[in-house]
Amino acid sequence: MAVNAKKVAVYVVVVFVMYVIVTDPQTAADYVLIGFQGISDAAGALGDFATWVAKGGK
């Protein structure tokens, strides 16, 4: 039963994403840009942390 609910949830999310892309592509593009900016910021923060650790935490 849980597997079927999981499949239904995935299908609902996919349909919603496709609906947003078709009905308002500019907003969908903005969402993608926000997502990539967040990933970029997180990667930069991890790089800064790794540099800090490599320098001995000073």
Side-chain angles (χ1 to χ4, degrees):
M1 185 70 168
V3 175
N4 291 336
K6 193 174 187 179
K7 279 185 180 180
V8 169
V10 169
Y11 288 137
V12 167
V13 169
V14 169
V15 168
F16 177 73
V17 168
M18 294 197 50
Y19 172 77
V20 170
I21 290 171
V22 170
T23 58
D24 196 0
Q26 182 61 43
T27 302
D30 291 341
Y31 291 153
V32 171
L33 183 64
I34 290 168
F36 279 125
Q37 186 64 42
I39 291 169
S40 176
D41 291 346
L46 285 173
D48 291 343
F49 176 72
T51 301
W52 178 76
V53 169
K55 289 183 177 181
K58 296 179 182 178

